[in-house]
Amino acid sequence: MNSKPPFWFPAKRYGWGWGVPVRWQGWVVAVGYVVLMLATVILAPPARSPGLFLGAIAVLTAALLAICWAKGEPPRWRWGDRDRE
């Protein structure tokens, strides 16, 4: 019996990183990231406040990567079907 919950983000088939979410929690994270990015563009446009804009984008992206790292399949370079168990 596997006590570890299923991953929210599966590994990509080719390359390094994560693919499209496979659980509802992953979709909430992905949609939340997009909504917060759009809010950043509206509330801190890059033409008006480039430092705040870049800082907010960096923080949001770091948070997304941290969640993917914690809730996704362990990342490693993959070459396609021959890597799938």
Side-chain angles (χ1 to χ4, degrees), residues 6-80:
F7 296 117
W8 296 0
F9 304 94
K12 290 180 7 179
R13 179 174 283 179
Y14 294 98
W16 190 92
W18 301 276
V20 178
V22 292
R23 300 192 43 95
W24 69 267
Q25 295 96 329
W27 282 106
V28 168
V29 169
V31 169
Y33 177 75
V34 170
V35 168
L36 290 172
M37 293 290 266
L38 291 173
T40 299
V41 169
I42 292 168
L43 297 174
R48 189 176 64 197
S49 51
L52 181 60
F53 175 78
L54 290 175
I57 296 300
V59 168
L60 289 173
T61 302
L64 176 66
L65 288 173
I67 293 169
C68 287
W69 193 278
K71 297 296 186 177
E73 270 187 85
R76 65 180 172 86
W77 190 266
R78 296 175 194 274
W79 294 99

